[in-house]
Amino acid sequence: MTKTQNKTNEDIAGGTILRVTGPLVRAKGMAEAKLYEVVKVSEEKLLGEIIELHGDEAAIQVYEETAGIAPGDSVYRTGRTMSVALAPGLLESIYDGVQRPLQKIEEVADGCYIKRGIEADPIDMQKKWKFTPVAKVGDSVSGGDVLGEVQETSLIVHKVMVPPNESGVVTSIQSGEFIVTEEIATLTKDDGSVASLPMLQYWPIRVARPKASKIFPSEPLRTGGRSIDTFFPIAKGGAGCIPGPFGAGKTVTQQSIAKYCDAEIIVYIGCGERGNEMTEVLTEFPHLIDPNTGEPLMKRTILIANTSNMPVAAREASVYTGITIAEYYRDMGYNVALMADSTSRWAEAMREISGRLEEMPGEEGYPAYLSSRTAEFYERAGIVKTLGSEGRTGSLTVIGAVSPPGGDLSEPVSQATLRVTKTFWSLDSDLAYKKHFPSINWLTSYSLYAPNFEGFWKDEIAPDFAAVRSTAMKLLEQESKLLEIVRLVGMESLSNSDRLVLEVARMIREDFLFQNAFDKDDAYTPLNRQYGILKSIMTFYEAGQSVVNNPEFDFSDFTQIATYSEVASLKEKLDWDIKDYQSFQDRVKSEIEALA
Amino acid sequence: MSNKEYKSISSIAGPLLVVEGVDGAKYEELVEVNVPGESKPRFGKVLDTSKDKAVVQMFDSTAGMTADETRVRFKGETLKLGVSEDMLGRVFNGAGEVADGGPELVPEQRRDIAGEPMNPYSREFPNDFIQTGIGSIDVMNTLVRGQKLPIFSGAGLPHSRLAAQIARQASVKDGADFAIVFATLGVSFEEAEYFRREFEEAGALERSVLFINTAADPVVERISTPRMALTTAEYLAFEKGMHVLVILTDLTNYCEALREVSAARKEVPGRRGYPGYLYTDLSTIYERAGRVKGKAGTITQIPILTMPDDDKTHPVPDLTGYITEGQFVISRELYRKGVFPPVDVQGSLSRLWSAGVGEGKTRADHSALKDQLFASYATGREVRELAVVLGEASLDDTDRAHLKFADAFEKEFVGQGEYENRSVEESLDIGWKLLSMLPRTSLKRVKAEQIEQYMPKTEVTAE
């Protein structure tokens, strides 16, 4: 008998329904059930999960529409807790919130609507994968050790690992083509018993997968977004949040990161968002080429789509489903990036279930455990030393969008998120209104990771990267103060050096920060070119300072020089390298000096 | 157990009934309520069901019901609407009953009005340009077939006239007409009648289905009216292959009806007393738009809502904006200036614009021109604010050109006749004509070749 949890077809007769209110069902006769056990509700076998137990009475959240369910109907137990299936075949899939593949659902339902009670294997159980063993007979292995490898897509080698809770001596290992449920190895354990291991494993979604240790993050996730990478970077293994009112560009920003960042695996969770957005990802990603590998983006992507009109309880589960899959790839030693759009919908799903449970509400009706659940979720991010003797390093970066009502960040979900994330991209409705995208406000956003990267920037990009960056940020700060003055008393009152600040800050905003996510070439700028552009802009400031202070200097001369009008096109110079930027900077210097 | 009658109502409060001694009523089940002395039954649905008690939410009013004599029958199925192609050209009330004095329909299908969530995998991404004949929409905030794009308005603003103009003029490049499914939710008789007449005069009535719930009709009926409209739309689009334009007005009334029911159930309220599930509930309306792989028809949705006190952060517009693919905002400022249609170009947004524009859809220069118009108009408006504070004397020539441009843009580009149907090419040309008022150096978003090709050679000066 295998010790892995298999999907059981023999459901255990359980209790009977007492009450139905929306997605919440109460049933009695459940004395033997465990918390978070998966149950099937009524003869329609609707998928549910036990979320509370009182004596023999259980509260069950149902992951499908409950219309037509009545008190007196049966509830069947399955004996397993809510888990995801982990095996080759996850990549390129699109799942609903409880890991049912939407493509299969379409086939089974024979139509465009999601019918109830459909069961579909999360992973193709018939497909044969070529398994190449790595471990040998006689090896002593424990959780996290690699048994063998499967080429899952052209990009990703799937490492089949010993499940975290298993260990022993390899007594047999196969080589060849297998389906995911076939035995590929056996272990003899310390107590003499034999465990049969297939490629397919299960892991409960509400429990973080174990790791050997966490590592302090010191390398940035490169996204190709200029305002993100240069000004407000996020670490590989970091946690970031994007709050913003609707129309500020949360989804576009998330999708840009998903497209261009240098993580090897992307898990994209559409949690309570628009159906068409998921369709867009589905139609676009197979055609888009990953700038880091030259392969279609879909080959490294897993999508979880629980759109706003799909059952609310499955929305609650979707973020856990996604992050557990992400952790599984992290354990193989990959850099994984997870986008959750939007965590506010997840919190609202929690609120809805909490209300039906008649729990005492906290702030704005959200349950009191909102902040602890949020913290738990983001804490699953990190760069880790994985289990196993190999000591691989893997990272999981989590980026959550937050949709604060009315754009007001004082609401509970934003506040709970801000406390646990270290990069904050503040999307600003005023900037969006002016069509400045990405509308990341350069004054209110922050990244607490930036100091960690100073070594990286110095070694990989340029010795003065951090200095250029901080001067640029200082200029933007000064600009906002100067603009206040201009608004009150007009431009004439400013000194030449103030006008230089305004002029250079405008360049930073318009010619560096402004980035068109819909333009193929503009959407992705590698970090060294980002530095080249910003350094060039800052050259105007450095060279200008000595010249403009001359009281005789006419500031309009400054705007007449050739390089001044060329700045706007710097971001279009895709083939420029560091030398080209240097020669541009030299021209800037000599042209400005000629003005003196 | 179904079809057993109960006379055991223990309480009637607002739109809710509590029926005791019920043996296993089903969640969401349709309930028929017979009030003594009335020949026509009233209807409701089960909201909460436990061992021997059911809470029923009525679609009709509860006025005149008695607790002891009223008979309740559980129908064993959810609320369904009979649909057929013959519904085109007909008028129904908010409960889906024939309201134009014509004959009853023979339904071809009976469909659950709640609908089912569409599989995101089965959707097809919208990408057909819809020409509304309104420049500020076609050029600046392009609408595409299968999109859901609400109109955010305020009390006293002409959103109805804008919606009617869109309904009259909307067409796609292949020339197919839209079927229109139109539902009013708690609006005044005049407003409902205005739309009916507009459709009639434009000859659009025979391709329209109207569901009319006015302010005089039961509040709770409004909760099912939009769902009936959408059920009809889904049938016409995905069974009969039609392109359907759904207009719902006014969603703020719908949300208030929902709040009323929620308050009667003594639920923990979310923001401003609206239920915590308002987002989820609205999504079950708005998400019923789109295109499906392998089906010819599409559903495009234009819901209208009035923002209380023009406040975009009010829960109704706020949650709507998070679900829909953009919004058209009506500007009180432009309306006061006498500009029609007063679309707030900057505040409006179409998230799917990029899918509808460009070579082969509209014109190759569309995207760049749109960016330039946005940028120049934004500059012009900033200058206008500056001029108020510092006086026009403080402006330089470039500033003054932008100021003139912003005025002309509002008057000539945004402003057009209520019955003027501009082709997208005409609108684009007007855009280029206006840009010629500005110095070339400030046109950074359009390419030199485009200026050469599209901009009229003679300079235009605003009078």
Side-chain angles (χ1 to χ4, degrees), chain A residues 19-20 68-69 106 112 272 404, chain B residues 27 48-49 119 122 279 318 322:
Chain A
R19 182 177 179 195
V20 187
I69 305 299
E106 184 190 68
C112 61
Chain B
Y27 182 64
D48 184 344
T49 165
N119 189 335
S122 309
Y279 177 85
D318 190 52
Y322 276 121

Side-chain angles (χ1 to χ4, degrees), chain A residues 151-192:
Chain A
Q151 189 74 40
E152 189 175 354
T153 68
S154 51
L155 281 181
I156 299 297
V157 174
H158 190 109
K159 298 193 167 136
V160 179
M161 298 170 288
V162 177
N165 42 14
E166 296 279 1
S167 65
V169 176
V170 179
T171 38
S172 75
I173 188 148
Q174 311 291 324
S175 170
E177 303 220 328
F178 302 97
I179 61 169
V180 294
T181 47
E182 276 176 295
E183 174 185 292
I184 44 109
T186 51
L187 299 185
T188 305
K189 303 211 248 187
D190 291 347
D191 60 4

